[in-house]
Each structure stands twice: as structure tokens, then as C-alpha cells.
Amino acid sequence: MRKNSIKNTRINMEVQRELSEIIRTQVKDRALEGVMVTVVAAEVTPDLKYCKVYVSILGSEEAAAEALAGLKRAVGFIRKELASRINLRNTPELKFILDQSIEYGVHMSKLIDDVTGSGNPQ
């Protein structure tokens, strides 16, 4: 299976959807209480051995770091749940990566508004 094949894209989307559901409803970690975790993307390798999971965490930097640590602690449980929900030849090893592109985009938008003056109603 090639990296950008339709089959790989469908697997990525299915894994992303199921991981979102598992993290939202099944994972009970104190580090995840009070923060919103969004699975932005999931990239499964063509051999189905590994998966990079990009997550965006709404909250302070300390809360985001703590929530990411909580996800890494729960990786075994999450992988087991994923295996029971998706029938794949191999259940990929999950690696959670903090994706700060949303925060970066909001910050850049604010800077542009400040420069152009469109942020100040007159």
C-alpha cells in the first residue's frame, strides 16, 4: 500500500475518527479533565505498524503538556480500544504529537489585525 493511496487515506480518516471518540468518551485520566483534546490528524504508515496522532489541546501550556503526558500514559488502553473497533491486520503503535497550528493561526491573525488596524473599531 502506498502512502497517499485512497486506502491509506481512508484508514487515516477512520483511525482519526475512532481515536477522537475513544479519547472523548473512554479515557479517564485526571490530566484530561478540564481541557479539550482534538485529534487533528492521524497518519498511519503503509505497513500499519505505526501511527502519528496530531492532537490540539485547548488550555494553558502547562495543561497542554500535562494532557499530552496523560495521553501517553493511556496509550496502551487507547490502542486496545482501537483494535476492538477497527479490524486491521496490525494495530499501529500510537505516537501523540502536540499540534499547535491552530494557536499559531489565531496568533498570526491577531498580529495581522493589529498591523492593519482592523481589530480596532472606530
Side-chain angles (χ1 to χ4, degrees), residues 2 10 13 15 38 49 54 73 75 92 103 107 110:
R2 294 186 182 177
R10 285 183 21 219
M13 289 172 40
V15 168
T38 305
K49 297 277 186 189
Y54 295 94
R73 281 192 301 268
V75 74
E103 291 87 6
H107 175 70
K110 182 181 179 306

Side-chain angles (χ1 to χ4, degrees), residues 6 12 41 48 53 55 61 91 110 113 120:
I6 293 172
N12 289 342
L48 304 176
V53 182
V55 293
E61 296 230 358
T91 302
K110 182 181 179 306
D113 287 347
N120 292 334

Side-chain angles (χ1 to χ4, degrees), residues 32-93:
L32 299 175
E33 292 176 5
V35 294
M36 189 170 93
V37 178
T38 305
V39 178
V40 178
E43 292 179 359
V44 180
T45 58
D47 63 357
L48 304 176
K49 297 277 186 189
Y50 303 98
C51 178
K52 291 181 185 176
V53 182
Y54 295 94
V55 293
S56 178
I57 301 171
L58 189 63
S60 67
E61 296 230 358
E62 298 83 25
E66 192 174 316
L68 192 61
L71 286 172
K72 288 179 181 178
R73 281 192 301 268
V75 74
F77 171 77
I78 295 170
R79 187 173 179 211
K80 180 179 71 82
E81 283 293 315
L82 185 65
S84 69
R85 292 174 181 227
I86 298 178
N87 186 16
L88 293 173
R89 190 172 356 127
N90 298 318
T91 302
E93 290 183 29

